């Protein structure tokens, strides 16, 4: 069950990322999400107080900050 992929919705951050389909393993819902984008990473945190992914709902991750890729 931990490896079951859960659909997520991204809130905030670059608009282009929100238009793509995203999913994460159910066992990783409590971890921050880091997505490579252009010359950096966009960071997202779980925004749902009570995720209901086991019912097939999408889970919302809220944008928190951006970091640059180290050169």
């Amino acid at each position: 069950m931990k490896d079951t992929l859960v659909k997520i919705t991204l809130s905030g951050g670059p608009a282009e990322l929100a238009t793509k389909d995203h999913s994460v393993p159910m066992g990783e819902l409590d971890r921050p999400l880091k997505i490579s984008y252009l010359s950096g990473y966009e960071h997202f945190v779980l925004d749902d107080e009570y995720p209901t992914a086991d019912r097939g709902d999408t889970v919302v991750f809220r944008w928190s900050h951006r970091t640059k890729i180290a050169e």
Side-chain angles (χ1 to χ4, degrees), residues 7-53:
K7 291 181 183 179
I8 64 169
T9 299
L10 300 178
S11 174
E16 185 177 310
L17 290 178
T19 63
K20 297 180 179 181
D21 291 332
H22 299 278
S23 58
V24 296
M26 185 173 285
E28 295 182 15
L29 285 175
D30 59 342
R31 297 181 190 162
L33 182 63
K34 180 170 123 177
I35 299 175
S36 177
Y37 182 72
L38 298 178
S39 61
Y41 295 101
E42 302 299 330
H43 299 260
F44 295 83
V45 294
L46 184 65
D47 194 38
D48 287 345
E49 187 173 341
Y50 301 103
T52 55

